[in-house]
Amino acid sequence: MAVFDHPTIGRFLVMANCLPTHVDTWSGLYDLKGSADDKVMVEDGERVPEVHKRCWNVNWMICEATGCNKGIPQGRMRYRLGKRRAFDLPIYLTKEQKEEVMTAVREDVELFKHFHLMDYSMIVGIYRPPPGEAAKEANRSRDGLYGKAYAAQHGGDVLIVHFGIIDFLQGWTSGKRCANLIKRCFAPPPISTISPPRYALQFEQFFEWKCVHFHLIGLTTFIL
């Protein structure tokens, strides 16, 4: 990552892509904060449209609050259920992979906390490569054009997992403080609009819980 000052245009932040651009079909693509705002972006290769509940959708609010699904459009139902799956979905890594990922997470959130930043997300891309292509796919990330690929075998599947923290320049503004008061009263927990120290702790603890490591017995882990 680097910052450049242009004499007339302004300042630019330049960084590698979090995700590779050559993957056309993601098995899963997730935007995760460790809160009720987590969401599925792509599931089984199909994009999941965002269908938000607005204050004027009174019937939606009543149906969702009471557990009655009548009157809620199918798109909204799919999006809402996807948010729960995104929060609950385990990410399988080896012990060494998890230690590496969590070390990076802790270093990043410490920096964000120092500069009073919050509301950042972890984008997680899960890809099932064609048979025999996993080692090649894992090694492609070494060119530095995008985030590191993690490959591991679990439950008979070989998965390639990409991580990257995005949207990390949101400050703890007066608007965010106001939103915190509103969400504490009306939004389902855990909420994401919280102070930078609390956000950093919640974010780190969430991925410590979410990244599940397993022991390899007679399995092959690719060079990472």
Side-chain angles (χ1 to χ4, degrees):
M1 183 187 299
V3 177
F4 296 94
D5 280 313
H6 189 278
T8 58
I9 301 177
R11 180 172 293 178
F12 296 86
L13 178 68
V14 181
M15 60 181 289
N17 289 336
C18 294
L19 303 177
T21 57
H22 67 274
V23 176
D24 295 323
T25 305
W26 292 97
S27 297
L29 194 59
Y30 307 91
D31 184 330
L32 306 175
K33 300 174 184 287
S35 74
D37 289 332
D38 289 359
K39 61 186 177 184
V40 177
M41 301 168 67
V42 174
E43 192 169 40
D44 295 329
E46 183 179 350
R47 182 164 292 279
V48 179
E50 296 184 27
V51 183
H52 296 284
K53 178 178 61 180
R54 303 301 185 189
C55 59
W56 55 84
N57 299 129
V58 178
N59 61 320
W60 293 15
M61 297 175 70
I62 294 173
C63 288
E64 290 188 8
T66 60
C68 172
N69 295 326
K70 293 181 179 179
I72 302 178
Q74 189 64 32
R76 169 62 186 175
M77 287 285 295
R78 182 187 182 193
Y79 177 64
R80 186 173 59 135
L81 293 173
K83 290 170 69 67
R84 186 72 250 178
R85 285 196 299 274
F87 186 91
D88 292 336
L89 179 78
I91 300 173
Y92 293 101
L93 300 171
T94 66
K95 182 179 180 179
E96 292 74 18
Q97 290 167 352
K98 178 177 179 177
E99 289 176 351
E100 182 175 317
V101 169
M102 289 310 303
T103 295
V105 167
R106 284 188 285 269
E107 290 175 351
D108 286 346
V109 299
E110 191 63 32
L111 177 67
F112 301 149
K113 186 170 62 173
H114 176 77
F115 287 101
H116 308 291
L117 301 174
M118 44 76 68
D119 215 21
Y120 37 88
S121 299
M122 179 81 81
I123 189 165
V124 178
I126 299 177
Y127 173 56
R128 287 179 171 84
E133 294 291 315
K136 176 182 176 183
E137 189 65 37
N139 286 326
R140 291 180 74 165
S141 65
R142 293 186 173 189
D143 60 14
L145 296 179
Y146 54 87
K148 184 175 179 179
Y150 292 87
Q153 190 174 5
H154 176 76
D157 259 347
V158 177
L159 303 176
I160 304 293
V161 185
H162 293 271
F163 298 89
I165 295 182
I166 59 174
D167 300 337
F168 48 79
L169 295 179
Q170 176 61 60
W172 183 234
T173 62
S174 56
K176 289 293 184 182
R177 290 183 172 89
C178 181
N180 168 263
L181 294 175
I182 296 172
K183 288 191 174 184
R184 283 167 58 187
C185 295
F186 300 105
I191 63 174
S192 58
T193 309
I194 51 181
S195 66
R198 291 179 58 205
Y199 192 98
L201 179 62
Q202 178 174 285
F203 192 85
E204 180 183 334
Q205 290 179 340
F206 175 70
F207 284 99
E208 182 67 43
W209 164 76
K210 193 172 188 66
C211 293
V212 180
H213 77 255
F214 61 96
H215 298 286
L216 296 175
I217 302 176
L219 301 179
T220 300
T221 300
F222 302 101
I223 300 174
L224 300 173

